[in-house]
Amino acid sequence: MIVSAGLFAFGLWAVATVALIAVGELIIPSADTPAAAVVYVVTALGAAAAGWATSLLFIRRHRHQLVPITAGTLVGCAIAVVGLTLDTVLVGSLAHGYPNVSDGRADTIVVGLLIGHATALVGAVAAGWRATKR
């Protein structure tokens, strides 16, 4: 079950990372601009939605093995742990940068990653809670 949650989390991380590498330079502003705040809000909402969707997929796959709130919490924690660990390795190995993104935008991405992982966890747990209420 834990391995499955980790694989779901890795899948979400891989999709999000590839997307960020592909279009990050185009959509991520410098941290010292007012537009960075908008990116943080959009990141929070998008990550919560991604956590919600990943949680629902995980709950559907394990519906006979776990109570939905437990499944949502498990996959939410996996999203946060796997994502933060892999992003730390990625950013740290590139001298505190991010692939295909200029240095001026790296701070915005790092803050966005922290916000994103936290809100993905919240979204996943909320999906589990909501599924339990049904």
Side-chain angles (χ1 to χ4, degrees), residues 54-66:
T54 303
S55 183
L56 290 180
L57 290 172
F58 185 77
I59 289 167
R60 182 173 293 152
R61 173 138 167 64
H62 296 286
R63 68 181 165 271
H64 300 297
Q65 298 159 319
L66 290 172

Side-chain angles (χ1 to χ4, degrees), residues 19 23 38 41 45 58 60 62 65 70 83 89 104 127 129:
V23 298
V38 174
V41 170
L45 295 173
F58 185 77
R60 182 173 293 152
H62 296 286
Q65 298 159 319
T70 305
V89 169
W129 177 81

Side-chain angles (χ1 to χ4, degrees), residues 5-70:
L7 292 173
F8 272 77
F10 178 78
L12 177 59
W13 176 84
V15 169
T17 300
V18 168
L20 188 56
I21 291 170
V23 298
E25 187 66 28
L26 301 173
I27 62 172
I28 305 296
S30 236
D32 58 354
T33 65
V38 174
V39 168
Y40 299 148
V41 170
V42 170
T43 298
L45 295 173
W52 181 285
T54 303
S55 183
L56 290 180
L57 290 172
F58 185 77
I59 289 167
R60 182 173 293 152
R61 173 138 167 64
H62 296 286
R63 68 181 165 271
H64 300 297
Q65 298 159 319
L66 290 172
V67 176
I69 188 67
T70 305

Side-chain angles (χ1 to χ4, degrees), residues 22-128:
V23 298
E25 187 66 28
L26 301 173
I27 62 172
I28 305 296
S30 236
D32 58 354
T33 65
V38 174
V39 168
Y40 299 148
V41 170
V42 170
T43 298
L45 295 173
W52 181 285
T54 303
S55 183
L56 290 180
L57 290 172
F58 185 77
I59 289 167
R60 182 173 293 152
R61 173 138 167 64
H62 296 286
R63 68 181 165 271
H64 300 297
Q65 298 159 319
L66 290 172
V67 176
I69 188 67
T70 305
T73 303
L74 176 61
V75 78
C77 289
I79 289 168
V81 169
V82 169
L84 286 170
T85 302
L86 293 175
D87 282 330
T88 300
V89 169
L90 181 64
V91 171
S93 68
L94 296 172
H96 308 298
Y98 206 82
N100 206 26
V101 175
S102 63
D103 288 342
R105 299 163 197 256
D107 291 343
T108 307
I109 287 181
V110 169
V111 172
L113 290 172
L114 291 173
I115 291 168
H117 293 301
T119 55
L121 169 59
V122 171
V125 173

